[in-house]
Amino acid sequence: MGFREDGFLDRTDWRILALLQKDARITYRELGHAVGLSAPAVAERIRKLEDRGVIRGYRVDIDWKNVGLPVEAFIRLTTPREASRRVSAQLQQIQEIMGCWRVAGPDSFILRVGVSSMEHLEWLIDRLARFGQSVTSIVLSTTFAERLVETLPMDWKTHSPSHEPS
């Protein structure tokens, strides 16, 4: 049960993922009721999703404004290619960086930062200048921060659910 032979998830797995994304504290019993399985069957599917690396962990969604970091920004950082490993290690040590992606193209990294004020942001940008050139975009509002899995993914060619059993 769960993963099909071709490695894709079935409809029930996708529903479980959608429900867990909305509430990672939902019980196996509640999940089972929602997807038509017993609690042990849901537990087994979740264990398989974890074992395969589909579920990487369970996290708390923090509202950064409510913990004193009301200013959020994205900083595109361009560094010399030969310095990227060293810079990557140093970026991990900077507390204000909430997310860091190594990217292709003219930029080396995209950083998501949270700071307490514009002055704090200015200080951080100055601190990052030692690594290379940066371009900063301040977040005015968030439409959505992360897309939640709602259903099976769509096949972009046919605009219909992909990976459905034949």
Side-chain angles (χ1 to χ4, degrees), residues 33-149:
H33 181 70
V35 300
L37 294 175
S38 68
V42 167
E44 178 64 16
R45 280 182 180 254
I46 289 173
R47 185 193 60 74
K48 286 180 180 179
L49 291 166
E50 291 168 343
D51 289 348
R52 295 257 329 247
V54 174
I55 296 176
R56 296 186 300 189
Y58 301 88
R59 294 166 183 79
V60 173
D61 185 11
I62 297 170
D63 185 333
W64 296 105
K65 291 183 299 268
N66 291 330
V67 295
L69 301 172
V71 179
E72 184 177 1
F74 286 92
I75 300 176
R76 296 181 1 241
L77 182 63
T78 304
T79 64
R81 186 174 30 170
E82 63 277 2
S84 63
R85 288 188 194 276
R86 177 184 54 80
V87 170
S88 180
Q90 291 178 321
L91 292 174
Q92 289 180 45
Q93 304 306 312
I94 299 174
Q95 188 172 25
E96 291 85 357
I97 299 175
M98 301 181 329
C100 177
W101 296 266
R102 175 88 198 277
V103 296
D107 301 318
S108 305
F109 298 93
I110 296 176
L111 312 173
R112 184 172 148 239
V113 303
V115 292
S116 60
S117 65
M118 294 306 290
E119 293 81 14
H120 189 178
L121 180 59
E122 183 178 9
W123 173 85
L124 179 60
I125 291 168
D126 290 345
R127 184 175 177 196
L128 293 171
R130 67 186 166 128
F131 300 121
Q133 193 161 353
S134 67
V135 175
T136 301
S137 298
I138 297 170
V139 175
L140 300 176
S141 64
T142 302
T143 305
F144 64 89
E146 189 173 311
R147 179 163 308 281
L148 298 180
V149 171

